[in-house]
């Protein structure tokens, strides 16, 4: 079975500073990895995803994540955050094949709090 | 383009009551999911469906039931509501293959 660990429940950071949100996963098979973002009182939206190929994936709003198979990690980074990036970020994993490929398993989330 | 629509957005139930959370999607997605979100716990998968007539349990199915009679609709039924079912419920859908999940706006349920 797959699982996801987000060790940081909250990450405070000042505006224009860099940030890294950590995500580690566990799986016995190849995986697809995702980062979703949730703004207050809204549903989740896909931020970026790793399916195969290049291990560095980017979003349209400056976030990037790198798939590291040896460390089973998929950390999310942004070199300079804005107040509008304040939200909760969820890492998620889905098996690349087999019955479990139908299930997307989420981590517990990290609240990114950007301060002026 | 409506996407995934959930109703109701808010509901208060008394212990022992039953209710159905409605979810419909207009994207012709085969895969549909119900999650619950609790503070500090992330999202937990309750039930999912890979197509009309096919459903399966997720991580936390106890106390819930689902049905999938059409591609569009995936209602979640709570029988004998308990305070432990106080949560925010999200419905989601995706196309096959590597398609991303599209979420509804959530239904906030309180059981008193």
């Amino acid at each position: 079975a797959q699982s996801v660990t987000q060790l940081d429940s909250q990450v405070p950071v000042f505006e224009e500073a860099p940030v890294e949100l950590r995500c580690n996963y566990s799986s016995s098979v190849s995986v697809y990895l995702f980062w979703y973002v949730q703004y207050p009182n809204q549903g989740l939206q896909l931020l970026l995803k790793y399916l195969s190929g290049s291990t560095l994936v980017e979003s349209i709003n400056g976030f990037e994540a790198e798939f590291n198979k040896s460390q089973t990690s998929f950390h999310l980074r942004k070199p300079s955050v804005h107040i509008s990036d304040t939200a909760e970020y969820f890492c998620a994993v889905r098996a690349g094949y087999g019955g479990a490929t139908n299930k997307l398993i989420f981590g517990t989330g990290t609240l990114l709090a950007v301060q002026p | 383009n409506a996407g995934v629509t959930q109703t109701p957005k808010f509901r208060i139930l008394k212990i022992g009551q039953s209710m159905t959370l409605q979810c419909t999607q207009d994207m012709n997605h085969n895969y549909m999911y119900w999650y619950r979100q609790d503070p500090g716990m992330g999202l937990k998968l309750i039930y999912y469906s890979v197509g009309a007539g096919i459903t399966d349990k997720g991580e936390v199915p106890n106390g819930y039931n689902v049905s999938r009679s059409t591609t569009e609709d995936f209602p979640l039924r709570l029988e004998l509501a308990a305070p432990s079912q106080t949560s925010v419920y999200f419905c989601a859908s995706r196309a096959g293959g590597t398609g991303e999940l599209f979420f509804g706006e959530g239904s906030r349920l309180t059981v008193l």
Side-chain angles (χ1 to χ4, degrees):
Chain A
Q2 289 69 44
S3 66
V4 178
T5 301
Q6 293 180 252
L7 287 176
D8 304 309
S9 60
Q10 186 168 350
V11 173
V13 63
F14 288 107
E15 194 171 19
E16 298 184 3
V19 71
E20 178 180 82
L21 306 184
R22 296 180 293 168
C23 172
N24 288 88
Y25 70 92
S26 173
S27 177
S28 59
V29 300
S30 63
V31 296
Y32 302 137
L33 294 159
F34 306 81
W35 276 100
Y36 281 80
V37 59
Q38 184 181 31
Y39 298 103
N41 299 313
Q42 294 186 23
L44 280 72
Q45 306 169 37
L46 180 68
L47 187 61
L48 46 77
K49 61 184 177 183
Y50 168 78
L51 303 177
S52 64
S54 173
T55 57
L56 184 64
V57 291
E58 299 177 351
S59 72
I60 59 173
N61 56 353
F63 283 94
E64 64 179 30
E66 186 163 18
F67 170 56
N68 188 319
K69 188 175 182 180
S70 63
Q71 296 186 6
T72 60
S73 67
F74 191 54
H75 301 330
L76 181 69
R77 302 183 183 95
K78 190 171 185 179
S80 176
V81 295
H82 302 288
I83 293 287
S84 59
D85 293 325
T86 294
E88 190 148 23
Y89 292 80
F90 292 91
C91 184
V93 63
R94 183 155 67 93
Y97 59 89
T101 189
N102 296 322
K103 303 180 185 179
L104 188 63
I105 304 301
F106 285 86
T108 51
T110 298
L111 177 62
L112 176 61
V114 182
Q115 306 165 29
Chain B
N1 187 4
V4 179
T5 303
Q6 293 181 232
T7 57
K9 286 186 168 43
F10 302 94
R11 182 73 185 268
I12 297 176
L13 280 181
K14 294 182 179 179
I15 294 172
Q17 287 185 319
S18 300
M19 75 159 296
T20 299
L21 299 177
Q22 302 291 345
C23 175
T24 186
Q25 51 92 9
D26 63 358
M27 298 173 282
N28 201 34
H29 286 167
N30 283 327
Y31 297 82
M32 295 189 74
Y33 302 80
W34 275 106
Y35 288 90
R36 60 176 288 172
Q37 183 179 27
D38 301 296
M41 301 294 291
L43 280 80
K44 297 294 186 184
L45 181 62
I46 304 172
Y47 271 96
Y48 67 101
S49 169
V50 301
I54 306 170
T55 63
D56 206 350
K57 296 177 180 179
E59 303 168 90
V60 290
N62 292 343
Y64 307 94
N65 277 300
V66 294
S67 60
R68 185 93 182 272
S69 56
T70 67
T71 298
E72 295 78 19
D73 300 307
F74 190 42
L76 177 71
R77 182 150 181 89
L78 283 70
E79 305 281 2
L80 299 175
S84 61
Q85 293 178 305
T86 293
S87 188
V88 180
Y89 292 85
F90 286 98
C91 180
S93 73
R94 70 175 177 92
T98 58
E100 71 180 86
L101 278 183
F102 290 86
F103 282 82
E105 294 188 347
S107 298
R108 184 175 295 274
L109 176 67
T110 301
V111 182
L112 300 175

